[in-house]
Amino acid sequence: MPTAKQRAASRANSQKSTGPRTTAGKAASRFNALKHGIHAQQQIMFNESADDLAELAAEYHELHAPADAGECFLVDTMINNEWRLRRLRAVEADLWRAAHNLALEKLPEGETADFGDAFTSSGPAFERLERIVNSCERHYRNALKELQVARAHGLRTPQPEEPTTTSASPASFRTKPETAETAVSSSPITAPQHPKLVPPTAAEIAQKLMACMGATPILVT
């Protein structure tokens, strides 16, 4: 499937083409658009002209310059419904003539029928024709809208992606405890310094006992 840039480049290249310049070349090129899905042999009925259909298709393809198969389908859909609408206009004219003749048959001899008489005699046929016309117009508008949406999507400038914030990797979480362990291991742990206890001598113990008993302490030399 072609990308948006490829469709835009293809559309730009098609706009640069000047097409055939001679009369014979222009006449032959009108049928080029029919190769994209609109076949003259299948679309021409009664007194319709294949040249008219080819000219219509060439105008649409030159105007919209479809860049891929999807856009060609949408353009061909518009061509097909435009061609059907032209045909339905002729059908409406024929329907009025037939309705007028039918209305004359119902009137006394010598009287003339007007549009009201003709419409009254063939009202359901006109209503059916109106539904078909509405359907063709709806399909045409839908195809045109889808083509415009596809063009807008293909020509839309891609917005730069916002940088996504990534969470810290597990290694970064391990860095802190490892650093703490390194700091603890690098500085030696020293025990708190307490005053050094010196045991009393025998003379000092004797003096404390005599003092408790109220006796005069004997100096020991």
Side-chain angles (χ1 to χ4, degrees), residues 196-216:
K196 188 174 183 180
L197 300 178
V198 180
T201 61
E204 291 175 347
I205 295 174
Q207 288 180 358
K208 289 182 179 181
L209 290 175
M210 293 297 291
C212 291
M213 296 172 63
T216 303

Side-chain angles (χ1 to χ4, degrees), residues 49-121:
S49 171
D51 290 338
D52 292 341
L53 177 58
E55 185 177 358
L56 177 65
E59 291 176 355
Y60 269 84
H61 279 267
E62 182 180 358
L63 175 63
H64 296 285
D68 53 25
E71 291 187 0
C72 281
F73 171 78
L74 296 175
V75 173
D76 288 344
T77 300
M78 289 189 290
I79 297 171
N80 184 38
N81 283 279
E82 168 65 20
W83 187 250
R84 292 183 65 192
L85 287 171
R86 293 187 180 187
R87 179 182 298 160
L88 291 174
R89 296 187 185 102
V91 170
E92 183 179 9
D94 292 341
L95 185 60
W96 278 113
R97 284 191 288 269
H100 180 263
N101 294 333
L102 182 61
L104 285 177
E105 294 177 358
K106 297 179 179 180
L107 294 176
E109 185 176 358
E111 294 187 8
T112 59
D114 54 17
F115 282 102
D117 296 330
F119 183 80
T120 302
S121 63

Side-chain angles (χ1 to χ4, degrees), residues 178-189:
E178 288 178 359
T179 305
E181 292 176 2
T182 305
V184 172
S185 60
S186 61
S187 59
I189 301 176

Side-chain angles (χ1 to χ4, degrees), residues 2-46:
T3 62
K5 292 183 179 180
Q6 290 174 338
R7 289 195 298 268
S10 177
R11 192 175 301 113
N13 292 333
S14 64
Q15 295 295 337
K16 296 178 182 178
S17 176
T18 57
R21 298 182 179 180
T22 63
T23 304
K26 292 180 179 179
S29 65
R30 290 182 301 171
F31 293 93
N32 291 339
L34 300 181
K35 299 177 182 179
H36 296 281
I38 302 296
H39 302 287
Q41 296 298 330
Q42 299 176 1
Q43 296 293 324
I44 302 303
M45 297 180 181
F46 303 111

